[in-house]
Amino acid sequence: MKGKFFPVFIITLVLWGILPLSAFDWPQEGVNASSFSTQFGQLRGGTYSNALIFAEQAEVSAIESGSVIAILGDNSSEMGWFHSPLGNAVIIAHEDSLMSVYGNLSQVTVSPETTQIPKGGKLGTSGFSGWQSGQSSLELQVIDTEQESSINPRILMPRFPEEPSLLLHGITAVGRNGEAIELRTRKSLSAGSYKLYRGHDQGFFPYKSRVVVNGAEVETLTFNNLTRSGRWLTVVGRKAYNVKESYPTADKQFLTEVTLAQGKNTISVTIADINGKEYGITYTLEVW
């Protein structure tokens, strides 16, 4: 265990503004757009994933130079009373109040005496030591300690020239009575307020969603970061949405809430990957 134990309150941050692109690098060799089992912002265990979780085991390196401020062990003899949900992990502090967290390591190779590490410095090997399930290895988190927010690691990393195609399907409108109406099959609705959702699965996750009604933008949600509102992690658009609002069920992801007036209404839904490639669909509805 590292001599200066990292305070438990900062570990709590691990479990919870768009930053300029940085010269950070990937923590594993051979990373591509299909290397992740869970994307930042996806539904994970009843909350938002505040990490980028890799699918394959590999040697893990520091994404940027910094100060090693904690080396966490998976068992209670190393952690005292605190059992790390990250399993074996290394935490590094960088400039601009940023902190990177490398969890779920099968082996840590950093010496407990290490205080500084260069970019690309070896940290260990990813494996399966944290509280994860399914196909998963390294859990990479980036924390803004000043803003107390979780940053999407992908906005800091080199981009891939190609991203997997996104799937835009199952657009439904849910009225105040709770009825879910699939817009692909229903072309008329009563006037009123509706929450719009897209079909959500564990496939490739959109970086951004946008809804336009009758030519006016209603909501844009971009998964740059997650902030805390009370006890909830939230994604921020025109308001902050907690996980229960974003994912009322495992197969639905919130897009926006709209008010439809009588007459013809046009609803356009667009999702985009991190490179800005868009996938869209438009519905024209008669509202009575």
Side-chain angles (χ1 to χ4, degrees):
M1 179 70 189
K2 197 170 176 64
K4 48 180 181 180
F5 180 74
F6 201 48
V8 171
F9 77 88
I10 208 69
I11 304 301
T12 303
L13 287 179
V14 172
L15 302 174
W16 33 284
I18 302 175
L19 296 180
L21 292 179
S22 177
F24 286 46
D25 207 353
W26 290 106
Q28 296 183 180
E29 294 290 337
V31 178
N32 58 55
S34 300
S35 293
F36 317 110
S37 63
T38 302
Q39 297 276 358
F40 183 91
Q42 275 189 289
L43 181 64
R44 178 191 178 205
T47 187
Y48 292 113
S49 172
N50 65 337
L52 195 59
I53 301 178
F54 290 70
E56 301 297 333
Q57 297 183 11
E59 190 173 43
V60 177
S61 305
I63 62 176
E64 180 58 287
S65 60
S67 301
V68 179
I69 54 177
I71 298 174
L72 307 180
D74 184 41
N75 61 62
S76 58
S77 64
E78 289 181 314
M79 289 300 295
W81 61 270
F82 183 76
H83 185 82
S84 170
L86 297 169
N88 301 316
V90 178
I91 302 177
I92 300 174
H94 309 285
E95 295 181 351
D96 299 323
S97 302
L98 293 185
M99 180 175 72
S100 58
V101 182
Y102 310 80
N104 207 36
L105 303 178
S106 62
Q107 181 182 20
V108 176
T109 56
V110 181
S111 166
E113 287 71 41
T114 303
T115 58
Q116 298 292 318
I117 195 158
K119 180 179 181 178
K122 304 306 179 186
L123 303 177
T125 305
S126 62
F128 195 83
S129 60
W131 294 354
Q132 293 188 11
S133 61
Q135 185 184 17
S136 58
S137 289
L138 172 66
E139 178 171 340
L140 175 66
Q141 301 181 29
V142 177
I143 307 296
D144 184 335
T145 58
E146 183 175 340
Q147 298 297 321
E148 297 187 337
S149 64
S150 296
I151 308 300
N152 187 344
R154 292 214 58 187
I155 70 173
L156 303 174
M157 301 294 175
R159 301 289 167 85
F160 307 120
E162 295 293 332
E163 292 283 330
S165 297
L166 299 175
L167 186 61
L168 182 57
H169 68 101
I171 306 299
T172 57
V174 179
R176 295 192 181 278
N177 62 0
E179 180 187 6
I181 302 164
E182 188 168 351
L183 298 188
R184 180 178 61 88
T185 59
R186 261 292 272 282
K187 301 305 179 185
S188 65
L189 299 173
S190 60
S193 179
Y194 293 87
K195 292 181 178 180
L196 297 185
Y197 298 89
R198 77 172 189 96
H200 171 68
D201 52 38
Q202 292 303 309
F204 297 106
F205 186 72
Y207 171 68
K208 180 167 68 174
S209 65
R210 181 171 181 259
V211 177
V212 172
V213 178
N214 298 329
E217 181 180 300
V218 177
E219 180 66 280
T220 296
L221 296 176
T222 304
F223 286 89
N224 290 309
N225 64 347
L226 297 171
T227 59
R228 183 165 290 278
S229 178
R231 66 188 184 92
W232 295 101
L233 280 174
T234 63
V235 61
V236 179
R238 294 184 182 271
K239 58 170 279 190
Y241 302 100
N242 65 44
V243 70
K244 289 188 175 182
E245 293 171 309
S246 286
Y247 300 103
T249 62
D251 61 349
K252 286 188 175 65
Q253 182 187 8
F254 178 78
L255 295 169
T256 191
E257 185 166 3
V258 299
T259 299
L260 302 179
Q262 289 183 341
K264 183 174 291 186
N265 285 255
T266 301
I267 298 176
S268 296
V269 178
T270 304
I271 58 176
D273 65 27
I274 198 165
N275 288 338
K277 184 176 181 179
E278 295 186 337
Y279 302 78
I281 192 167
T282 298
Y283 301 96
T284 299
L285 306 173
E286 291 293 338
V287 179
W288 43 271

